[in-house]
Amino acid sequence: IGKYVNGKPKPIMGHSMPLAVIGVFLLWLGWFGFNGGSVLSGDPGPVSYVLVTTTLAAAAGIMGAMGTSWIIQKKPDLSMVLNGCLAGLVGITAGADVVGIGASIFIGAVAGVLVVLAVLGFDRARMDDPVGALSVHLVNGIWGTLAVGLFSAEHSFMVQLTGVLAAGVFCFVFAFALFLGIKHILGLRVSEEEELKGLDIGEHGMEAYGGFQIFTTQ
């Protein structure tokens, strides 16, 4: 409710940008765990290499998103910058151990640009994605997977593209069937009353932030 006004998207901002920044830093740190672990050994050489490419891609994602949002929105939007960091991390994940240092920077920078364009594009298409998950994970997951075929001599672009298409078809069909079933059995949305009260009330019987309840029943 209130996301689209007169057909135009209206951002519903989170309550604390400093906490969002801390959350992104935690994710950045956590990314070292599963990207570093993806080499399947404790060899310090390959693990260290992955940590370098991961860091460079994240930093490049920040710069790419900041520059793009500055150009398009006339301000360096912090929420876009944070998503740019995550986009860089997502983009490098598939090839962190097989692409070069320069390639990791390029992959991250492109991911930062793509995430801003995707957020704005999904908004215009009226696809409600409040945390930019489609823009960060779907768009840049595809980009990062294809980038392995572009920047690694050991991998084929067509094989990577086939993998993307195969995963996309499977996930679309499975998710469509799953959510169609949920829609008919439970419903996909809460009632207008519960939404206005807040899901903390509906799900847990208490408020997350005292005094923020805006809807009461008689």
Side-chain angles (χ1 to χ4, degrees), residues 8-55:
K8 295 182 179 180
K10 180 182 178 182
I12 300 175
M13 301 303 294
H15 80 283
S16 173
M17 292 309 294
L19 284 182
V21 172
I22 293 172
V24 168
F25 284 157
L26 289 172
L27 283 168
W28 192 341
L29 177 63
W31 230 276
F32 293 149
F34 59 81
N35 269 15
S38 67
V39 300
L40 302 179
S41 79
D43 188 330
V47 172
S48 298
Y49 185 83
V50 166
L51 300 187
V52 170
T53 57
T54 298
T55 297

Side-chain angles (χ1 to χ4, degrees), residues 41-115:
S41 79
D43 188 330
V47 172
S48 298
Y49 185 83
V50 166
L51 300 187
V52 170
T53 57
T54 298
T55 297
L56 290 174
I62 289 173
M63 300 304 294
M66 183 173 67
T68 305
S69 69
W70 213 329
I71 292 169
I72 295 176
Q73 300 173 293
K74 310 305 179 186
K75 297 286 184 180
D77 184 323
L78 178 58
S79 65
M80 291 292 194
V81 171
L82 297 178
N83 274 334
C85 176
L86 299 180
L89 290 166
V90 170
I92 196 58
T93 293
D97 61 332
V98 295
V99 302
I101 297 298
S104 70
I105 297 172
F106 181 80
I107 291 169
V110 170
V113 173
L114 288 176
V115 77

Side-chain angles (χ1 to χ4, degrees), residues 21 25 33 37 56 66 74 76 116 120 126 154 210 213 216:
V21 172
F25 284 157
L56 290 174
M66 183 173 67
K74 310 305 179 186
V116 175
L120 299 176
R126 300 193 65 178
E154 305 168 17
Q213 186 173 343
T216 56

